[in-house]
């Protein structure tokens, strides 16, 4: 019974939907972690000058929920999830780059590049991958009468 439900969910979501669901759950969990146990804010002074890190956690949570919810939309209408997924890592990358420029956090450049490549770059790549770009696996030959 469970396997049938998993197969049905997988067929409903497709490759793009599965990616969005995983990404959305991850971003939501990351945001919740900022609420439960706030990390140090070194390098994020640009953000924390506007409001506390707990408030910025809600950016991750809201964008994560939007991303996960858009996993259930049809291909072509799921673009909103990819756009929402781009917002938090882009904001964090900008904050870390600003910290490098100001001189507050010399390591921030590496963190910004990490956000831009492993988050923003991967999301932008996944947004361009068509749902059915890979041909289906070949079926085994059916047994039958030879002609």
């Amino acid at each position: 019974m469970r396997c049938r439900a998993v197969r049905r969910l997988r067929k409903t979501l497709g490759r793009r939907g599965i990616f969005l669901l995983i990404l959305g759950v991850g971003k939501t969990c990351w945001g919740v972690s900022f609420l439960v146990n706030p990390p140090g804010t070194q390098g994020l002074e640009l953000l924390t000058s506007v409001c506390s890190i707990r408030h910025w956690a809600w950016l991750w949570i809201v964008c994560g929920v939007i991303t996960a919810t858009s996993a259930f939309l049809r291909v072509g209408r799921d673009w909103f999830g990819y756009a929402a997924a781009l917002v938090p890592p882009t904001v964090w990358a900008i904050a870390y780059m600003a910290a490098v420029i100001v001189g507050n956090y010399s390591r921030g450049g590496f963190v910004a590049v990490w956000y831009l490549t492993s988050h923003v770059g991967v999301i932008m790549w996944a947004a361009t991958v068509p749902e059915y770009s890979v041909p289906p696996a070949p079926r085994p030959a059916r047994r039958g009468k030879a002609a």
Side-chain angles (χ1 to χ4, degrees):
M1 176 76 169
R2 186 170 22 136
C3 290
R4 190 177 337 167
V6 170
R7 279 194 300 267
R8 185 174 181 186
L9 180 63
R10 194 169 177 196
K11 184 177 180 182
T12 300
L13 292 176
R15 292 183 326 160
R16 291 170 58 97
I18 291 170
F19 178 78
L20 284 171
L21 185 61
I22 291 169
L23 200 61
V25 169
K27 288 186 182 308
T28 303
C29 288
W30 187 247
V32 169
S33 77
F34 286 134
L35 292 177
V36 173
N37 189 11
T41 58
Q42 186 178 12
L44 297 174
E45 290 83 8
L46 178 66
L47 301 180
T48 56
S49 67
V50 177
C51 56
S52 75
I53 198 74
R54 288 181 179 265
H55 291 99
W56 285 105
W58 285 102
L59 176 71
W60 287 91
I61 294 168
V62 169
C63 288
V65 169
I66 291 169
T67 301
T69 303
S70 68
F72 296 92
L73 300 176
R74 289 185 308 160
V75 174
R77 295 184 183 209
D78 59 357
W79 68 268
F80 199 67
Y82 288 102
L86 286 171
V87 173
T90 304
V91 169
W92 252 245
I94 290 169
Y96 280 118
M97 286 305 285
V100 170
I101 292 169
V102 173
N104 292 343
Y105 190 52
S106 60
R107 184 174 173 253
F110 299 105
V111 179
V113 170
W114 177 73
Y115 270 113
L116 291 173
T117 56
S118 67
H119 291 271
V120 175
V122 170
I123 293 165
M124 291 176 69
W125 168 81
T128 63
V129 173
E131 179 62 36
Y132 299 107
S133 63
V134 177
R139 290 182 158 185
R142 296 190 316 181
R143 292 187 181 186
K145 298 177 184 177

